């Protein structure tokens, strides 16, 4: 397990993050993360998400997925 981030009754488990960009989307290359989610006791396994970077560091953006309730999760 790479990292576990808990937010109340929601948990984000990051299994791994790619070292090099592997996904090309909208003219940019992104690294990917293998993610498991636990939302109020319900587990969702094997999600593949883009890792975005801004001035505060790396983050996962769930607002573009069906798991909008997780929002943006910063990876430190």
């Amino acid at each position: 397990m790479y990292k576990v981030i808990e937010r109340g009754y929601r948990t984000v488990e990051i299994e791994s993050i790619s070292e090099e960009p592997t996904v090309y989307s909208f003219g940019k290359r992104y690294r990917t993360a293998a993610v498991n989610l636990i939302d109020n006791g319900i587990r969702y396994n094997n999600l593949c998400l883009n890792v975005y970077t801004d001035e505060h560091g790396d983050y996962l953006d769930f607002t573009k997925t069906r798991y909008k309730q997780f929002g943006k999760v910063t990876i430190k």
Side-chain angles (χ1 to χ4, degrees), residues 2-3 5 56 58 74-76:
Y2 180 77
K3 185 169 188 157
I5 302 166
H56 302 294
D58 294 338
T74 304
I75 306 168
K76 294 184 180 185

Side-chain angles (χ1 to χ4, degrees), residues 33-64:
V35 178
N36 298 326
L37 300 177
I38 303 172
D39 185 14
N40 203 15
I42 301 171
R43 185 174 187 89
Y44 303 97
N45 290 326
N46 302 326
L47 303 172
C48 181
L49 295 171
N50 292 345
V51 177
Y52 298 96
T53 304
D54 64 4
E55 63 273 0
H56 302 294
D58 294 338
Y59 68 92
L60 300 172
D61 188 4
F62 289 96
T63 62
K64 299 176 182 177

Side-chain angles (χ1 to χ4, degrees), residues 6-74:
E6 294 185 9
R7 299 176 122 190
Y9 58 89
R10 294 181 178 114
T11 304
V12 178
E13 298 175 346
I14 302 172
E15 295 288 333
S16 63
I17 297 177
S18 62
E19 295 293 324
E20 297 293 324
T22 56
V23 173
Y24 184 78
S25 176
F26 297 106
K28 295 183 181 178
R29 294 179 59 204
Y30 297 99
R31 295 182 298 148
T32 55
V35 178
N36 298 326
L37 300 177
I38 303 172
D39 185 14
N40 203 15
I42 301 171
R43 185 174 187 89
Y44 303 97
N45 290 326
N46 302 326
L47 303 172
C48 181
L49 295 171
N50 292 345
V51 177
Y52 298 96
T53 304
D54 64 4
E55 63 273 0
H56 302 294
D58 294 338
Y59 68 92
L60 300 172
D61 188 4
F62 289 96
T63 62
K64 299 176 182 177
T65 69
R66 72 180 203 169
Y67 307 103
K68 292 176 181 23
Q69 64 270 24
F70 285 88
K72 292 184 179 180
V73 177
T74 304

